[in-house]
Short mmCIF file of all heavy atoms in Angstrom, two decimals:
data_model
loop_
_atom_site.label_atom_id
_atom_site.label_comp_id
_atom_site.label_asym_id
_atom_site.label_seq_id
_atom_site.Cartn_x
_atom_site.Cartn_y
_atom_site.Cartn_z
N ARG A 1423 134.88 201.89 77.75
CA ARG A 1423 134.63 203.20 77.34
C ARG A 1423 134.47 203.31 75.88
O ARG A 1423 135.23 202.79 75.07
CB ARG A 1423 135.71 204.10 77.87
CG ARG A 1423 135.28 205.60 77.92
CD ARG A 1423 136.49 206.34 78.51
NE ARG A 1423 136.00 207.81 78.80
CZ ARG A 1423 137.03 208.68 79.17
NH1 ARG A 1423 138.26 208.45 79.49
NH2 ARG A 1423 136.62 209.97 79.38
N GLY A 1424 133.40 203.94 75.38
CA GLY A 1424 133.22 204.09 73.97
C GLY A 1424 132.67 202.97 73.15
O GLY A 1424 132.76 202.93 71.94
N PHE A 1425 132.07 202.00 73.88
CA PHE A 1425 131.40 200.90 73.21
C PHE A 1425 129.96 201.20 72.68
O PHE A 1425 129.19 201.70 73.40
CB PHE A 1425 131.43 199.64 73.98
CG PHE A 1425 132.75 198.99 74.16
CD1 PHE A 1425 133.77 199.48 74.97
CD2 PHE A 1425 133.07 197.86 73.35
CE1 PHE A 1425 134.96 198.88 75.14
CE2 PHE A 1425 134.29 197.20 73.49
CZ PHE A 1425 135.25 197.67 74.36
N ASP A 1426 129.71 201.08 71.36
CA ASP A 1426 128.38 201.44 70.88
C ASP A 1426 127.31 200.29 71.29
O ASP A 1426 126.14 200.67 71.40
CB ASP A 1426 128.45 201.48 69.31
CG ASP A 1426 129.20 202.71 68.93
OD1 ASP A 1426 129.47 203.70 69.64
OD2 ASP A 1426 129.78 202.63 67.65
N LEU A 1427 127.92 199.06 71.48
CA LEU A 1427 126.90 197.97 71.71
C LEU A 1427 125.94 198.30 72.93
O LEU A 1427 124.74 197.93 72.89
CB LEU A 1427 127.64 196.63 72.00
CG LEU A 1427 126.88 195.43 72.43
CD1 LEU A 1427 126.06 194.95 71.31
CD2 LEU A 1427 127.81 194.40 72.87
N MET A 1428 126.47 198.85 74.01
CA MET A 1428 125.74 198.92 75.30
C MET A 1428 125.00 200.31 75.41
O MET A 1428 124.69 200.63 76.44
CB MET A 1428 126.76 198.73 76.52
CG MET A 1428 127.39 197.32 76.58
SD MET A 1428 128.89 197.12 75.53
CE MET A 1428 129.95 197.88 76.71
N LYS A 1429 124.60 200.87 74.32
CA LYS A 1429 123.96 202.13 74.37
C LYS A 1429 122.46 201.78 74.51
O LYS A 1429 121.75 202.76 74.66
CB LYS A 1429 124.16 203.01 73.13
CG LYS A 1429 125.54 203.54 73.02
CD LYS A 1429 125.64 204.51 71.77
CE LYS A 1429 126.99 205.34 71.89
NZ LYS A 1429 127.13 206.14 70.74
N ASP A 1430 122.03 200.63 74.56
CA ASP A 1430 120.72 200.29 74.80
C ASP A 1430 120.55 198.98 75.64
O ASP A 1430 121.57 198.20 75.80
CB ASP A 1430 119.72 200.17 73.52
CG ASP A 1430 120.24 199.24 72.53
OD1 ASP A 1430 120.83 198.10 72.97
OD2 ASP A 1430 120.19 199.50 71.40
N VAL A 1431 119.40 198.69 76.13
CA VAL A 1431 119.17 197.54 76.99
C VAL A 1431 119.35 196.31 76.20
O VAL A 1431 120.12 195.35 76.91
CB VAL A 1431 117.72 197.65 77.54
CG1 VAL A 1431 117.37 196.20 78.23
CG2 VAL A 1431 117.40 198.66 78.42
N LYS A 1432 119.04 196.05 75.03
CA LYS A 1432 119.28 194.95 74.28
C LYS A 1432 120.82 194.57 74.17
O LYS A 1432 121.28 193.42 74.31
CB LYS A 1432 118.62 195.03 72.88
CG LYS A 1432 117.10 195.03 72.96
CD LYS A 1432 116.38 195.02 71.51
CE LYS A 1432 116.61 196.43 70.90
NZ LYS A 1432 115.86 196.48 69.54
N GLY A 1433 121.60 195.72 73.78
CA GLY A 1433 123.10 195.45 73.63
C GLY A 1433 123.79 195.18 74.96
O GLY A 1433 124.64 194.40 74.99
N TYR A 1434 123.23 195.87 76.06
CA TYR A 1434 123.88 195.72 77.29
C TYR A 1434 123.61 194.25 77.83
O TYR A 1434 124.59 193.59 78.18
CB TYR A 1434 123.16 196.65 78.34
CG TYR A 1434 123.55 196.23 79.74
CD1 TYR A 1434 124.72 196.76 80.32
CD2 TYR A 1434 122.66 195.63 80.56
CE1 TYR A 1434 124.99 196.37 81.69
CE2 TYR A 1434 122.84 195.29 81.83
CZ TYR A 1434 124.01 195.73 82.38
OH TYR A 1434 124.38 195.39 83.63
N ARG A 1435 122.43 193.70 77.52
CA ARG A 1435 122.30 192.36 77.96
C ARG A 1435 123.04 191.35 77.01
O ARG A 1435 123.59 190.37 77.56
CB ARG A 1435 120.72 192.02 77.75
CG ARG A 1435 120.37 190.49 78.10
CD ARG A 1435 118.84 190.27 78.17
NE ARG A 1435 118.62 188.81 78.18
CZ ARG A 1435 117.44 188.24 78.30
NH1 ARG A 1435 116.40 189.10 78.50
NH2 ARG A 1435 117.30 187.04 78.42
N GLU A 1436 123.18 191.66 75.92
CA GLU A 1436 123.94 190.78 74.89
C GLU A 1436 125.49 190.86 75.41
O GLU A 1436 126.09 189.81 75.42
CB GLU A 1436 123.87 191.38 73.49
CG GLU A 1436 124.51 190.45 72.50
CD GLU A 1436 123.67 189.16 72.20
OE1 GLU A 1436 122.41 189.23 72.43
OE2 GLU A 1436 124.24 188.17 71.93
N MET A 1437 125.96 191.83 75.88
CA MET A 1437 127.39 192.02 76.39
C MET A 1437 127.59 191.07 77.49
O MET A 1437 128.50 190.16 77.54
CB MET A 1437 127.57 193.44 76.78
CG MET A 1437 129.00 193.74 77.47
SD MET A 1437 128.91 193.44 79.33
CE MET A 1437 127.86 194.63 79.85
N HIS A 1438 126.71 191.02 78.61
CA HIS A 1438 126.98 190.15 79.80
C HIS A 1438 126.70 188.73 79.51
O HIS A 1438 127.19 187.93 80.07
CB HIS A 1438 126.42 190.72 81.05
CG HIS A 1438 124.90 190.64 81.16
ND1 HIS A 1438 124.11 189.60 81.32
CD2 HIS A 1438 124.01 191.82 81.23
CE1 HIS A 1438 122.88 189.84 81.46
NE2 HIS A 1438 122.76 191.18 81.32
N GLU A 1439 125.66 188.59 78.60
CA GLU A 1439 125.38 187.06 78.24
C GLU A 1439 126.60 186.53 77.41
O GLU A 1439 126.80 185.16 77.60
CB GLU A 1439 124.11 187.02 77.49
CG GLU A 1439 122.85 187.25 78.28
CD GLU A 1439 121.53 187.02 77.54
OE1 GLU A 1439 121.50 187.08 76.36
OE2 GLU A 1439 120.53 186.80 78.35
N ARG A 1440 127.27 187.30 76.60
CA ARG A 1440 128.31 186.71 75.84
C ARG A 1440 129.47 186.25 76.81
O ARG A 1440 130.29 185.45 76.48
CB ARG A 1440 128.79 187.68 74.85
CG ARG A 1440 127.87 187.87 73.62
CD ARG A 1440 127.66 186.67 72.82
NE ARG A 1440 126.81 186.96 71.55
CZ ARG A 1440 127.26 187.10 70.49
NH1 ARG A 1440 128.72 187.06 70.33
NH2 ARG A 1440 126.54 187.31 69.43
N MET A 1441 129.51 186.89 77.98
CA MET A 1441 130.62 186.67 78.98
C MET A 1441 130.03 185.64 79.94
O MET A 1441 130.92 185.12 80.83
CB MET A 1441 131.01 187.94 79.72
CG MET A 1441 131.62 188.86 78.81
SD MET A 1441 132.60 190.19 79.73
CE MET A 1441 131.23 190.98 80.60
#
Side-chain angles (χ1 to χ4, degrees):
R1423 199 172 188 188
F1425 283 81
D1426 293 335
L1427 174 69
M1428 294 89 79
K1429 287 186 176 182
D1430 57 35
V1431 169
K1432 290 185 286 188
Y1434 168 82
R1435 175 169 170 177
E1436 191 70 27
M1437 176 270 297
H1438 69 70
E1439 287 188 335
R1440 290 297 186 101
M1441 291 196 295

